[in-house]
Amino acid sequence: MNSDAIRKDVPKRALLHALGLTNEEIDRPLIGVVSSYNEVVPGHMNIDKVVQAVKTGVSMAGGTPLVFPAIAVCDGLAMGHRGMKYSLVTRELIADSTEAMAIAHAFDALVLVPNCDKNVPGLLMAAARLNLPAIFVSGGPMLAGRVHGQKTSFSSASEAVGAYAAGKIDKETLDEYECNTCPTCGSCSGMYTANSMNCLTEVLGMGLQGNGTIPAVYSARLQLAKRAGMQVMELLKNNIRPRDILTKEAFENALTVDMALGCSTNSALHLPAIAHECGITLNLDIINEISARTPNVCHLAPAGRTYIEDLNEAGGVYAVMNELAEAGLLHTDVLTCTGKTVGENIAGCVNKNPDVIRPLSNPYSKTGGIAVLRGNLAPDGCVVKRSAVSDAMQHHVGPARVFESEEDAMQAILGGSIHPNDVVVIRYEGPKGGPGMREMLNPTSAIMGCGLGESVALITDGRFSGATRGAAIGHISPEAAVGGPIALVQEGDEIEIDIPNNAITLHVSDEELAARKAVWQPKKQAVTGYLARYAKLVTSGAQGAVLEI
């Protein structure tokens, strides 16, 4: 090293010495470990242990790990109040703050340790944007709970509230659900958004086998973290970067496995947003194209009575991928963080339980778990978790029951004002109109708990928790706040939902809609600070709710 370079490095090395680092540690590659640990979110309370294991792995492989934080909102704790406005919007905060820390401190590579909801896609966006060698290891899923001898999950507790309001269960049973549905740390035990995105991180090639399914409380999770710490050093050595892995074919693989697993509809927001950071456009139409050729082979909660721990025991995500690959449904030659291809990774990963992962010859349906619907009510599209909709509600026609917020709808549902055949319309909850595109788990759970799941649909320009089941259609685009057709719906208008034909129709003439649009006035909202900036910059749900630059 020449004398100018030495002089330039001395002040920086002085500060690193202040951290207690030795010359030997300073001379090694500096690996940023992005820790999502906090004492608020159950899915993150164990991440300090995972991060320590990552640090051990990095050190074993010759790197110097340095930890910095990422925030995370618990959607369950934020649900049903203004806090939910701050859930989706953290995705961009997480990506931006990680970018700032990684570049400001000139890290050589990153190990990212997320777990819940927006935390996973936010860090995937950051990894794609930074394009430093990077690998992911999540905090892992929660074990299923037990109530009256049956496995349960967070969605069971949510639906119990509606059941109690309808007089279907007593207070003692409600208390059982409260105390026993979430028994361990980890991301909630069904195929909700967190577990969907952690499983899809495996598929994308950014996490090692088991990233999405090894339970948080298993020692194998710590072993996985050590391997991730060691593997990032191999990625650095071989100059393998996220955009080498996150190709168009990798995203098509993710959508294919998404359809097979029956992942959360939030994946239709997050995968396009991650792809956007790679310069790749994923429009909603490709979802139906891939769904049309991909069987749905898993009914994990809330769609069914199996849980992430069951998927793990059945062979995990790789077992699902291997079956899909044998049918020619995956790109097997794409690179992954192992340094090997998808095909090499999944070879020999067999389905150990056909009751959990159905063979392709006996799927739950011949088409995938998510569908995009279009029509005059959603010209730019909307999304439904088809695999969690009963046969009786795949096609539904009914009168609109219009609400300007989630709170108003909840009052009507729990107050007994919603009746069979109704279509509950919740608007001004989109990315701009919310702002923040709140999840509507409480209304959908109340509908199910009240015994209306086979007769009532719900549509919204907001979105749904992965814990939602039933005829719940979200991401209606354009949203109400920008004058989309959902803003023009009136009480009693007939709405038709036709999931098999990917259609949603407001049975009101074009002339009448034009007359309504002529007198429509946007709903005024008083927001300040970050939400105001977000509302000004955010695009529609159909575009992944990314921010305009």
Side-chain angles (χ1 to χ4, degrees):
M1 185 180 294
N2 63 45
S3 59
D4 288 341
I6 292 173
R7 286 195 297 271
K8 184 178 179 181
D9 284 342
V10 164
K12 298 179 182 64
R13 293 177 68 92
L15 291 169
L16 293 175
H17 281 301
L19 293 174
L21 298 182
T22 65
N23 283 326
E24 292 81 0
E25 289 173 301
I26 294 171
D27 290 338
R28 294 174 178 177
L30 300 182
I31 309 301
V33 181
V34 188
S35 171
S36 301
Y37 169 75
N38 64 54
E39 295 182 343
V40 181
V41 186
H44 292 239
M45 62 182 285
N46 66 314
I47 280 180
D48 57 337
K49 309 296 189 301
V50 177
V51 164
Q52 189 58 50
V54 167
K55 291 176 66 179
T56 298
V58 169
S59 297
M60 288 167 62
T64 297
L66 297 172
V67 179
F68 65 89
I71 63 169
V73 165
C74 177
D75 280 18
L77 292 174
M79 199 75 67
H81 60 94
R82 69 174 185 164
M84 181 47 72
K85 294 177 184 287
Y86 286 87
S87 172
L88 179 61
V89 306
T90 64
R91 189 184 69 183
E92 272 59 33
L93 279 176
I94 291 163
D96 291 349
S97 59
T98 302
E99 173 192 356
M101 287 292 291
I103 293 179
H105 301 106
F107 285 110
D108 295 295
L110 298 173
V111 182
L112 303 106
V113 191
N115 212 25
C116 291
D117 294 286
K118 309 323 146 298
N119 185 243
V120 185
L123 289 179
L124 281 166
M125 290 166 67
R129 187 186 302 173
L130 289 161
N131 206 31
L132 295 169
I135 194 169
F136 279 68
V137 56
S138 76
M142 185 182 291
L143 294 178
R146 297 289 193 282
V147 173
H148 297 163
Q150 298 293 318
K151 284 186 177 182
T152 61
S153 60
F154 177 71
S155 55
S156 307
S158 299
E159 291 179 17
V161 174
Y164 177 71
K168 296 179 180 294
I169 61 173
D170 58 21
K171 181 62 165 57
E172 184 178 353
T173 302
L174 183 64
D175 290 344
E176 283 279 318
Y177 280 100
E178 176 185 330
C179 295
N180 296 306
T181 53
C182 298
T184 71
C185 61
S187 49
C188 295
S189 57
M191 188 53 80
Y192 308 150
T193 304
N195 292 327
S196 294
M197 293 309 302
N198 283 322
C199 287
L200 295 181
T201 299
E202 275 190 62
V203 185
L204 286 168
M206 291 298 293
L208 299 176
Q209 181 181 7
N211 178 70
T213 60
I214 296 172
V217 295
Y218 284 12
S219 297
R221 174 63 52 181
L222 301 180
Q223 294 167 345
L224 179 70
K226 291 175 184 176
R227 289 198 297 272
M230 290 186 280
Q231 185 59 26
V232 79
M233 299 304 296
E234 290 297 310
L235 294 172
L236 178 61
K237 173 183 170 183
N238 295 303
N239 196 30
I240 297 174
R241 297 169 181 262
R243 287 184 217 161
D244 299 323
I245 295 168
L246 295 172
T247 61
K248 180 175 180 289
E249 291 75 17
F251 284 103
E252 289 180 0
N253 283 348
L255 284 170
T256 300
V257 178
D258 187 333
M259 299 303 158
L261 288 175
C263 292
S264 164
T265 52
N266 280 313
S267 62
L269 282 175
H270 300 322
L271 288 175
I274 300 160
H276 177 75
E277 296 289 348
C278 300
I280 297 169
T281 298
L282 282 187
N283 60 43
L284 292 183
D285 292 327
I286 195 174
I287 291 177
N288 283 345
E289 292 173 19
I290 291 175
S291 181
R293 62 177 182 257
T294 308
N296 175 231
V297 297
C298 292
H299 264 194
L300 298 151
R305 302 294 299 177
T306 52
Y307 298 82
I308 300 298
E309 63 192 64
D310 301 311
L311 177 61
N312 187 62
E313 292 169 9
V317 174
Y318 274 22
V320 176
M321 292 177 71
N322 196 34
E323 296 216 354
L324 293 170
E326 288 178 356
L329 294 173
L330 289 183
H331 302 285
T332 57
D333 58 349
V334 294
L335 184 65
T336 72
C337 66
T338 65
K340 300 177 182 178
T341 65
V342 164
E344 290 173 314
N345 286 344
I346 65 178
C349 296
V350 299
N351 179 2
K352 300 175 184 177
N353 188 342
D355 291 330
V356 175
I357 306 170
R358 285 194 175 185
L360 298 190
S361 59
N362 181 35
Y364 286 100
S365 66
K366 294 181 179 179
T367 53
I370 293 177
V372 173
L373 314 183
R374 291 185 187 272
N376 68 338
L377 187 53
D380 293 343
C382 55
V383 181
V384 61
K385 189 171 183 175
R386 172 167 41 197
S387 60
V389 180
S390 70
D391 291 342
M393 293 299 291
Q394 292 284 327
H395 182 263
H396 180 78
V397 181
R401 302 297 308 282
V402 182
F403 302 95
E404 308 297 299
S405 71
E406 176 189 0
E407 288 82 0
D408 291 346
M410 275 297 291
Q411 186 175 0
I413 296 165
L414 295 178
S417 299
I418 301 302
H419 308 292
N421 283 347
D422 285 349
V423 178
V424 175
V425 178
I426 305 177
R427 61 192 180 193
Y428 293 101
E429 292 284 7
K432 286 184 179 293
M437 207 176 186
R438 287 196 291 179
E439 288 183 344
M440 302 291 144
L441 176 61
N442 284 355
T444 56
S445 295
I447 287 169
M448 298 302 296
C450 290
L452 296 170
E454 297 290 305
S455 60
V456 170
L458 188 151
I459 69 171
T460 180
D461 51 7
R463 61 194 177 91
F464 295 107
S465 164
T468 286
R469 64 188 178 105
I473 293 91
H475 310 191
I476 297 278
S477 299
E479 63 176 289
V482 298
I486 190 173
L488 310 177
V489 179
Q490 294 182 0
E491 189 81 6
D493 286 349
E494 186 176 83
I495 294 175
E496 181 176 3
I497 299 162
D498 187 353
I499 296 174
N501 290 304
N502 304 111
I504 185 166
T505 306
L506 175 63
H507 288 297
V508 174
S509 70
D510 291 344
E511 293 77 14
E512 173 61 19
L513 288 176
R516 294 180 188 180
K517 183 65 178 286
V519 297
W520 171 79
Q521 293 291 326
K523 180 182 175 182
K524 294 182 179 180
Q525 52 182 350
V527 292
T528 58
Y530 180 53
L531 286 184
R533 295 194 297 275
Y534 182 87
K536 184 177 181 180
L537 297 173
V538 70
T539 61
S540 78
Q543 297 173 275
V546 298
L547 300 186
E548 295 177 318
I549 297 176

